[in-house]
Amino acid sequence: MVVFLTLTLSMTLTILILGMNNGFSQIFYHQLQDPYLNVDMTLTYDSNSESRILNKRGLTERYSAYYRFAACFFNYYSLIGSGDDPGYYAQVFSGAVIDLENLIDTDLGVLNDGEMFVTRSMADKHGLSENDTVRLYVSGSEVPYRIKAILPDRGLFAGEAVFVNKVELLQRLFSLSGLSNLGNIVYIDLIDPAQADTVSGLLSEDPDYSGFVAAPTADPLVIKMITKNTSALFIGVGGITLIAVLVVLNSVFPLLFQDFRQQIGIIKTLGGDHRFSLSIWLTQFLLMSMGAVPLGIYLAWAVFNQGAAILGIQSVIRLGGAVVLVSLAAYLLFVGGEVLIRFRRLIRQSGVALTYDHRHEWVRGGFIVLGVSGILFVVQKLTEAFSEPVNALLSMIFGIVFCFTLCDFLASMIGAGLSRKKQKSLFGLFGAQNLRSNKIVRSSLRVAMISIVVIALNLTVRSFIEADSMTLKNNVLADYFLTNIVDDPVAVQTQISAEYDVEAMQDAIIYRYISMDLSQDETPRRRRAVFFISLPPENMDAFFDYEFDSGVLEKLADTQTPYITVSEGVGKIYGLKVGDEVVVELGRDNPQMTFIIAGFIHTNYHGIVFSNLYRLEAFANAGMANTVIIKNGDDETLKPGLMAKYNARLYYLVDFQELFAEGMDEIFLVMDFMSLLAYSIVIGFVIVIINNSLLLFYSLKNDYAKLKILGLSPTGLAGQLGREVLSITIIAAFCSFLALCVLIPHLGPLMLFATFYKTIPWDALSTGWRTLAAAGVLIFSYAFYLHRVLRLDPITEIKTY
Amino acid sequence: MDLIECKKMNKNYQNGKIEAQILKEIDLTIHTSEFVGITGPSGSGKTTLLYVLSGLEKPSGGTLSLFGKPIGDYSETDLSELRKRRIGFVFQFYNLVPNLTVRENMMLAWIIGKNQDETIIDELLQLVGMKEFQNHYPNQISGGMQQRIAVARSLINDPEILFADEPTGNLDTKNGKDIMELLRKLHRENGKTIVLVTHSDDYLQYCSRNIKLVDGMIVKDEILSL
Ligand SMILES: Nc1ncnc2c1ncn2[C@@H]1O[C@H](COP(=O)(O)OP(=O)(O)OP(=O)(O)O)[C@@H](O)[C@H]1O
Ligand SMILES: [Mg+2]
C-alpha cells in the first residue's frame, strides 16, 4: 500500500510538473477565448487609432469569403437610470438582433425600437424585471427603453450590460439614419480560425482598416507569453519537486527491498535461480504500476481540471500525450533502474548474508560530499563564472547537495555525540543510535527535509505572487491618464482643474504598445513597451513610486542625449548594461529613435519604460506632450465627467487602477490555480511523509516492542517517540532553512532560462516562518506514526522474531 | 505467597471467523520460589499460557491475579511498571536490539528501570560470563552468548519472577545446559521464581514443578524432587 501510494503520487507529481506549461496554456486559452464563444477575432480601435468609427462595408465586400459572420457593434459605457435610481454605469451593446444572436449563439426573436435586452446579473443587481422602463442617457438627453427580455449572462453579453438596436441608437447619437454598417467593433467568426493571422494581415494593409486593430480573440503569442511567464515562476519549485519525487521514491524501495532480500536469500540458500526472483520482483512492480500509473494520471488530470473549474472554465483540459509519455518514460526509467540496481547489488551477496537484519548500515563518505559541495558553492559564489542563470542553477545545485549531506552529517554527529555522553538516557541510547545508523531513519530524514523545502518553497512562491501584484499596483500613484490629446495638454489641465477637485496633474508624453529593439548586435530583439512614459523627473514622485538606479533621474532630466530606463528584469533578460542603445519606434514621425540606457527601474513590472523625451531640446517645439496624468483627490464625478466630455474628442481615458484591478483579478485567478497546484503538491508530500512514517514504523516496530516488553510505559514510549520525531524534524527544518536561504534568492535569476525575470525577495524571518509552518505539517503527519507505535502489540512482534 | 493465581481461565484467538480456544479452564497457582517447567507438544498453548500468566496478554475468561491483584485492575501503565520492576522475560529469539552493543542493550533495560547503581550491569555481565564481550554487537557473538545477555538483561531490575520461553530452543546441548545452569543458580542462590517453557523433558531435572499442557488443558501438575 505504501509503495502503491508513493508510485501513484510520483506519477501525479511528475505529470503536474512536466505538464504545467501545457496545462497553463490551455487554461489561458480558454480564459481568453471562452467568453467569445464562436468569435475568432475582433476589429476595433485603440489609443493609436485616428478614428473610432469603422465601416463594415469593406469587410463585406472584400473578405466575406473568410468568415461565417462579422457582427458590427457600437458599444460604449453609458450612464443608465431606472426607477428612482439616478444612474449607474453599464456596458451598452448595440447592433442588429441577428448580431447579438451570433455573438451569444442564442435565438432571440424581434427587438423593436425603444426596447432593450438586459442581462440577468444586471436585472438582479438593480431589481429590474421585464417591461420595466430604463433611461439611457444619449447625447445629453434621457431616452426611455422598455425591457423586452432578461437574458441569462452568456459569452460577452454578461455582467452589467444592456443591448439596444444600433441603427436607432446611432440615429439619436448622430442624427443620421440607416447607419447599419457603422460601429466601433466587429466580431468575426472565421470559417477557418487558423487564418486569423492572414486576415489580420490583410486588414492591416487595407486602407479602410489599417488604422484599426484586428486581433485574434485568443492570440497564441499572448497565450504563449503568459504561459511562459507563469511557468517561469514555477521552474525552481518544479525542479525541486521533481528531485523530491526521486528522493521519496528512493526512500520507499528499502521497504520492498527488506522483504525481497530475505525471500531471495531463502531461494538462494535453497539453490534456486535468482532470475526467477527477479521476474517475481518485476512482475510485482508491473502489477502495482498498472494500478498506480493510471490513477496517477487521473489525479493529475483532476488537479488541472479542478483548477480550470476554479477559473470558471467549462471545457476539459487535456494533459497532452507527449507529457504523459515523457512522465511515463521517466517513471519507468527510474523505477526499472532502481529495481535492477538493487537487484544486482543483492545477487552479489551470499544467501546467508541476505537473511540477516540489514536495517543498519554506517554511512560513510558524507564528509567528502559535504566538503566538496560546500567548497564548490563558495567558489561558485565568489567567481560567478558563468552567465547569470547558469550561476544560479549551479549555486542551487551545490547548495542543496550541501544541505542534504549536512542533514545526514548532523544526524550522525548528534547521534554520535549523544551516545558518547556519559549520562545515558533512553533517547541517547536508542534514538541516537537510530539517527546514526538506521537507513530508514536516515531516508526519512531526507524525505522530511525535502518535503519541508518543497512545502515552504510553494508557500514562498504563492505569497510572492500575491505581494508582487500588490506592489505593482502600489507603485503607480496616478489614477488616470487622458491621452491622445491633440490640443495643448496644458490647456486641458486648466479646463479640468476649473471643473474638478484634482490632487495633481502633469502633462506628459505617453505612448502605448510601442516596439523597442533591445538587441546590441545585428539580429533585432524586439519587445513591446506597454507604457512609454516621459514626464519631468522632478515630478515623478507625485505619480509613480518606483525606485531607480542612482543617477537615472538626473539623466532623465538631460536635454541633449535621449535616455531611457527599463526594468531590471528586462535588463537581465536582454543582457543590457548602462550605456547600451535601444531603438524605439515612436510612431510615424520618429520610426527609429535611439535611446541610451540610463539605468534600471527596480520593479518586477516589465511593461513600463521612462525616457527624457519630454526634456529633449530637439523636440521642444514638436508638441510631443499628448497626455495629462491625473491623480484624483476623491472626486467621484471626475471619471464619468472626463469620459463624457473628452470621449467625443477622441481622447482616450485610461484608468490605471481599473487596469490594475483587472490585472489583479487575472492574477488572483491564476493564483487560485497555482494555489491548487501548490496545495496538491503539499498534500502529495504530506501523504508521502505519512507513508514514510509507516516505513519508519515497520522498520522500528520490533525494537519498540522490545522496549515495551522491558517495561517502558506508554508515556515513556510516547516521550521517546516524541523526542525522535522532534529531533528528525529539527535537523530537517534546520537544513531546509539553510537550503531555502540558498534557493529563494536564486529563483529569480533561474527564470532567465525561460527569458523571464522577477526579483524574488528573501528575508530570514519569513523564510523561517515558512520553514516552521512546513515543519509543523511534518510533525502533524508524524502524529500518525506515534499513534501506530503506541497501539503496537508487542506480542505479535516478539512472536515473529 | 501466591505470585500468580488463575481459576477457570480461558484464552481464545480469533482466526478469521473461527474463534479457537487455545487455553481451556486453566486452574493454576504459582508460589514464590518455585521453578515451574511447562511442557507439552507443539501447539498445545505453552507460549500462550506464559504470555497470559505474565500479563502480556489478557485472558478471555475466568480469573487471573498477579501479585495478589486481579489482572483487570491493572492499567497499561501499571502493567509496564510490573514488567519494569517485578517481571523479567527471556525469549527463544533473544530479542536484543541489533544496533546496540551488548553493554548498551543492558543499559537500555537499566535506563528504563531507572536504576541507580550502574555497577549492576557489570555484575550481571560477570554473572553470565560476558564481561569481555560487552562492546560487541549482537550479530558478532554466538546465539548462546546472546541468550546469556538476554538472561542478564532480564535480571537487571531484580525481578521477583522470571518468564522464559524456550530459552534453549535455538541452542546446542552445551549452550542449552549453560543457560539452564544459570537459571538454576538464579533459582537457588537468588531465590527467583522461574516459569520456564521447554520442549524437552531433559530440562525438567532443573525444575521444582512440572505442568504439562495438551490441547490447552493441564493434563499433569506435579511437584518434582530436586
Ligand atoms: N495470535 C494468534 N492468533 C491466533 N492463533 C494463535 C495465535 N497465537 C497462537 N495461536 C495458536 O494457538 C495455539 C497455541 O500456540 P502456542 O504458541 O501457545 O503453542 P506452543 O505450545 O507454544 O507451541 P510451540 O511448542 O510450537 O512453541 C496454536 O495452535 C497457534 O496456532
Ligand atoms: Mg511456544
Side-chain angles (χ1 to χ4, degrees), chain A residues 45 49-54 183-184 212 647 650-653:
Chain A
Y45 61 91
S49 302
E50 280 161 15
S51 164
R52 298 189 155 190
I53 302 291
L54 51 79
N184 56 10
F212 296 95
N647 268 8
L650 298 185
Y651 297 174
Y652 197 92
L653 186 79

Side-chain angles (χ1 to χ4, degrees), chain B residues 83-217:
Chain B
R83 291 198 290 273
K84 193 151 78 184
R85 307 238 170 267
R86 309 181 78 171
I87 300 179
F89 290 96
V90 180
F91 300 95
Q92 182 174 356
F93 303 93
Y94 331 109
N95 276 312
L96 301 177
V97 178
N99 59 330
L100 297 180
T101 62
V102 164
R103 192 182 177 82
E104 286 169 337
N105 263 287
M106 299 288 290
M107 189 84 84
L108 199 60
W110 180 78
I111 291 169
I112 290 175
K114 298 198 179 71
N115 281 5
Q116 295 305 315
D117 192 359
E118 204 178 327
T119 51
I120 178 99
I121 295 177
D122 298 285
E123 281 168 23
L124 285 170
L125 285 174
Q126 205 84 57
L127 177 75
V128 299
M130 288 297 296
K131 188 80 201 286
E132 60 207 279
F133 293 98
Q134 60 171 334
N135 291 322
H136 284 60
Y137 285 92
N139 62 1
Q140 294 169 331
I141 56 178
S142 77
M145 291 166 159
Q146 291 189 49
Q147 193 61 295
R148 276 191 265 165
I149 300 301
V151 173
R153 184 182 61 180
S154 71
L155 296 173
I156 207 142
N157 296 311
D158 196 23
E160 291 157 50
I161 180 163
L162 192 64
F163 290 95
D165 188 0
E166 300 192 40
T168 56
N170 271 338
L171 306 176
D172 62 13
T173 330
K174 162 85 177 57
N175 276 305
K177 266 188 87 168
D178 283 354
I179 292 293
M180 289 309 295
E181 288 295 342
L182 186 59
L183 291 181
R184 186 197 321 243
K185 198 164 121 191
L186 292 170
H187 176 237
R188 289 211 180 136
E189 294 172 18
N190 304 53
K192 301 278 178 222
T193 308
I194 295 177
V195 181
L196 166 82
V197 167
T198 176
H199 243 94
S200 135
D201 286 345
D202 292 348
Y203 293 136
L204 285 179
Q205 52 170 308
Y206 296 93
C207 305
S208 67
R209 180 178 172 190
N210 173 219
I211 290 170
K212 186 165 184 186
L213 278 184
V214 174
D215 277 344
M217 284 182 290

Side-chain angles (χ1 to χ4, degrees), chain A residues 360 433 706 708 711 713 801, chain B residues 13 80 83 93 95-96 98-99:
Chain A
H360 298 286
Q433 205 61 23
K706 289 169 196 165
K708 273 195 168 181
S713 65
Y801 256 73
Chain B
Y13 277 125
S80 48
R83 291 198 290 273
F93 303 93
N95 276 312
L96 301 177
N99 59 330

Side-chain angles (χ1 to χ4, degrees), chain A residues 81-151:
Chain A
S82 58
D84 297 333
D85 203 330
Y88 36 84
Y89 279 85
Q91 170 95 48
V92 178
F93 284 82
S94 78
V97 173
I98 174 79
D99 291 332
L100 185 62
E101 286 183 331
N102 279 330
L103 191 66
I104 62 174
D105 202 16
T106 310
D107 289 333
L108 295 172
V110 189
L111 184 74
N112 296 312
D113 287 357
E115 292 179 336
M116 72 167 32
F117 292 131
V118 305
T119 60
R120 166 60 51 201
S121 44
M122 170 97 174
D124 288 349
K125 175 138 189 217
H126 300 289
L128 304 173
S129 38
E130 279 178 26
N131 293 321
D132 281 0
T133 300
V134 167
R135 301 181 300 274
L136 205 61
Y137 296 88
V138 180
S139 298
S141 61
E142 277 180 24
V143 183
Y145 278 92
R146 187 181 69 86
I147 297 178
K148 168 85 185 299
I150 292 166
L151 304 180

